[in-house]
Amino acid sequence: MNLETIRTDFPILSREVYGRPLVYLDNAATTQKPLCVLDAMREEYLNVNANVHRGVHYLSQQATELHEGARDTVRQFLHADKTEEIIFTRGTTESINLVASSFGEAFLKEGDEVIVSEMEHHSNIVPWQLLQARKGIRLRVIPITDDGRLDLEAFRALLSERTRLVSITHVSNVLGTVNPVAEVIALAHEAGVPVLVDAAQSAPHLPLDVQQMDCDFLAFSGHKMYGPTGIGILYGKERWLEQMPPYQGGGEMIDQVTWEKTTFERLPFKFEAGTPDYVATHGLATAIKWLQGLDMDDVMEHEKLLTRYCMEQLQQMEGIRIYGPQAGMRDAVVSFNVEGIHHLDLGTLLDRMGVAVRTGHHCAQPLMQRLGVSGTVRASFALYNSTEEVDCFVEALRRVVRMF
Ligand SMILES: Cc1ncc(COP(=O)(O)O)c(C=O)c1O
């Protein structure tokens, strides 16, 4: 992997903030986009733009080909069996809301249980709480161990004849923990329970194979994996999607509409009401192809090295507390606090030195409660980050700490 060449694909990485070179370590929030993605989207707006599916004219057909071609690129990326199983959404959040709403409508009733974990992002908590309020379901929570791993024994004990769905993150956006989703899915399936995997934080870093994983649903966002904002994916096994009612109503998702009765389109269109963001789908497909053009083993190796190197540097600092498991068991996320200094102050001062990190609760307030903190500082890496940037970050942090 030639880092220098890769970085030239991301002009934003060469800019300065406050007169200092930017060190962008907020990749778990969103990644930067390579030129090829920006070019593909610009080219589509410039030369192809037309609404998809409905037009008989040339441009509409060309835009439709790009849009449906993107669906097939996503299918290949996930190793899904059929394009019918790939639903375009606005992001992970909408994908999970779709399942909560539609699977919830079809399969959940009062007293039924959905299992999530203590390390979930709010987007895998609140949709289930809304369903709890609407339908009287019960939300059960898998606790985590003190070093930030799933307590699998507790999970086993939570699975019961009342469990209807397990919805779990693949990688924690705070702890970096890579969850043993294959094991979770096997255990859930033994109990006849389907599983949704939130792959928002794994899609840019780990190979995903939904057939091998055997998950029932999987959600991710384009913008966290070098693609545009506003586009996400819900993968669902055909047999579940077929049984689920539409999520929203409108154009594109219907077969026939009369005042008496409306019939719906086949999959995947049944779940895609309204004009889709067909430029973003093309952008996402371009990002996926760009990623596939790299050696994924090299990418994983590089990101592991960055994470390990960063943790080793930080661990040498006094008063620092890093959350989550040891380096080999985590993805490219390092969350920490420094004793006696508020995370927001650390983040603000790091920013003045050109280092972009995230501070706060990271949309995981229940996890913050478990950790006993109001928030953390989080550095998160993408494949374009370098060990020199980790050095800059650690040096800046040392300077900030010395100020207090
Ligand atoms: C684990 C996890 N799930 C879900 C989301 C929500 O993603 P989005 O805001 O793109 O819908 C995020 C975003 O940070 C995340 O990290």
Side-chain angles (χ1 to χ4, degrees), residues 149-179:
R149 288 173 302 109
L150 274 188
D151 184 339
L152 281 181
E153 276 316 306
F155 172 55
R156 273 198 188 91
L158 282 175
L159 273 171
S160 78
E161 70 282 359
R162 290 181 301 278
T163 315
R164 293 288 169 271
L165 186 75
V166 175
S167 189
I168 188 134
T169 196
H170 193 177
V171 170
S172 160
N173 65 316
V174 177
L175 306 167
T177 316
V178 182
N179 283 325

Side-chain angles (χ1 to χ4, degrees), residues 310-365:
C310 180
M311 286 180 72
E312 281 168 4
Q313 302 291 309
L314 293 183
Q315 272 155 354
Q316 290 171 20
M317 290 179 63
E318 236 173 77
I320 198 157
R321 164 129 198 242
I322 301 175
Y323 303 98
Q326 62 207 40
M329 297 169 71
R330 67 160 72 206
D331 214 38
V333 175
V334 182
S335 283
F336 64 91
N337 270 312
V338 179
E339 205 182 333
I341 312 178
H342 196 275
H343 45 87
L344 186 60
D345 294 335
L346 285 174
T348 308
L349 289 168
L350 282 171
D351 177 52
R352 301 302 292 202
M353 296 180 190
V355 181
V357 290
R358 186 143 293 239
T359 66
H361 55 65
H362 315 293
C363 297
Q365 287 179 355

Side-chain angles (χ1 to χ4, degrees), residues 116-128:
V116 297
S117 84
E118 214 172 9
M119 65 173 89
E120 299 307 319
H121 187 280
H122 294 162
S123 64
N124 195 25
I125 298 174
V126 185
W128 307 110

Side-chain angles (χ1 to χ4, degrees), residues 255-383:
D255 173 30
Q256 287 290 323
V257 179
T258 66
W259 290 120
E260 288 72 40
K261 183 178 160 56
T262 289
T263 53
F264 304 120
E265 255 285 24
R266 66 205 148 86
L267 288 173
F269 309 109
K270 179 173 91 171
F271 290 109
E272 294 178 354
T275 299
D277 192 343
Y278 51 82
V279 177
T281 58
H282 180 44
L284 173 59
T286 309
I288 289 175
K289 285 180 189 157
W290 174 82
L291 203 51
Q292 288 172 331
L294 304 171
D295 183 327
M296 212 48 204
D297 288 337
D298 280 359
V299 169
M300 287 194 295
E301 198 52 47
H302 175 64
E303 291 176 344
K304 266 204 189 108
L305 180 132
L306 289 175
T307 311
R308 185 181 295 276
Y309 182 61
C310 180
M311 286 180 72
E312 281 168 4
Q313 302 291 309
L314 293 183
Q315 272 155 354
Q316 290 171 20
M317 290 179 63
E318 236 173 77
I320 198 157
R321 164 129 198 242
I322 301 175
Y323 303 98
Q326 62 207 40
M329 297 169 71
R330 67 160 72 206
D331 214 38
V333 175
V334 182
S335 283
F336 64 91
N337 270 312
V338 179
E339 205 182 333
I341 312 178
H342 196 275
H343 45 87
L344 186 60
D345 294 335
L346 285 174
T348 308
L349 289 168
L350 282 171
D351 177 52
R352 301 302 292 202
M353 296 180 190
V355 181
V357 290
R358 186 143 293 239
T359 66
H361 55 65
H362 315 293
C363 297
Q365 287 179 355
L367 175 58
M368 295 299 123
Q369 283 150 25
R370 167 66 172 87
L371 301 176
V373 295
S374 63
T376 72
V377 180
R378 179 184 74 184
S380 53
F381 306 107
L383 60 86

Side-chain angles (χ1 to χ4, degrees), residues 33-244:
K33 327 298 171 199
L35 281 172
C36 61
V37 170
L38 307 179
D39 290 345
M41 294 173 73
R42 180 179 147 87
E43 168 60 21
E44 183 163 7
Y45 273 129
L46 277 179
N47 283 314
V48 186
N49 185 48
N51 207 336
V52 291
H53 297 142
R54 287 166 292 206
V56 288
H57 60 82
Y58 187 85
L59 287 188
S60 175
Q61 285 174 20
Q62 213 179 349
T64 304
E65 269 168 35
L66 288 177
H67 180 66
E68 291 306 323
R71 200 188 301 277
D72 197 50
T73 301
V74 174
R75 181 196 65 74
Q76 286 172 38
F77 175 66
L78 294 178
H79 298 92
D81 186 23
K82 298 172 176 168
T83 48
E84 285 81 351
E85 297 176 319
I86 307 297
I87 318 278
F88 288 126
T89 65
R90 286 189 298 126
T92 309
T93 303
E94 189 174 51
S95 299
I96 298 174
N97 273 277
L98 190 161
V99 177
S101 174
S102 175
F103 182 91
E105 184 60 34
F107 296 108
L108 300 183
K109 58 178 188 329
E110 190 173 351
D112 285 348
E113 295 184 355
V114 171
I115 299 180
V116 297
S117 84
E118 214 172 9
M119 65 173 89
E120 299 307 319
H121 187 280
H122 294 162
S123 64
N124 195 25
I125 298 174
V126 185
W128 307 110
Q129 289 178 330
L130 293 173
L131 199 62
Q132 195 166 25
R134 263 202 325 272
K135 286 210 138 186
I137 65 152
R138 193 154 170 233
L139 199 54
R140 308 300 305 267
V141 184
I142 312 168
I144 58 168
T145 59
D146 287 339
D147 66 343
R149 288 173 302 109
L150 274 188
D151 184 339
L152 281 181
E153 276 316 306
F155 172 55
R156 273 198 188 91
L158 282 175
L159 273 171
S160 78
E161 70 282 359
R162 290 181 301 278
T163 315
R164 293 288 169 271
L165 186 75
V166 175
S167 189
I168 188 134
T169 196
H170 193 177
V171 170
S172 160
N173 65 316
V174 177
L175 306 167
T177 316
V178 182
N179 283 325
V181 282
E183 210 174 329
V184 169
I185 291 166
L187 285 170
H189 283 181
E190 261 172 44
V193 175
V195 178
L196 183 157
V197 175
D198 172 352
Q201 293 298 341
S202 55
H205 303 295
L206 304 174
L208 294 174
D209 184 329
V210 290
Q211 292 192 79
Q212 196 180 50
M213 212 190 266
D214 201 22
C215 56
D216 299 271
F217 301 98
L218 180 136
F220 71 90
S221 300
H223 70 98
K224 290 187 196 286
M225 50 167 303
Y226 312 102
T229 45
I231 189 72
I233 297 297
L234 173 68
Y235 157 81
K237 278 184 183 164
E238 190 180 26
R239 72 183 178 91
W240 288 116
L241 294 175
E242 283 292 5
Q243 298 176 74
M244 287 159 50

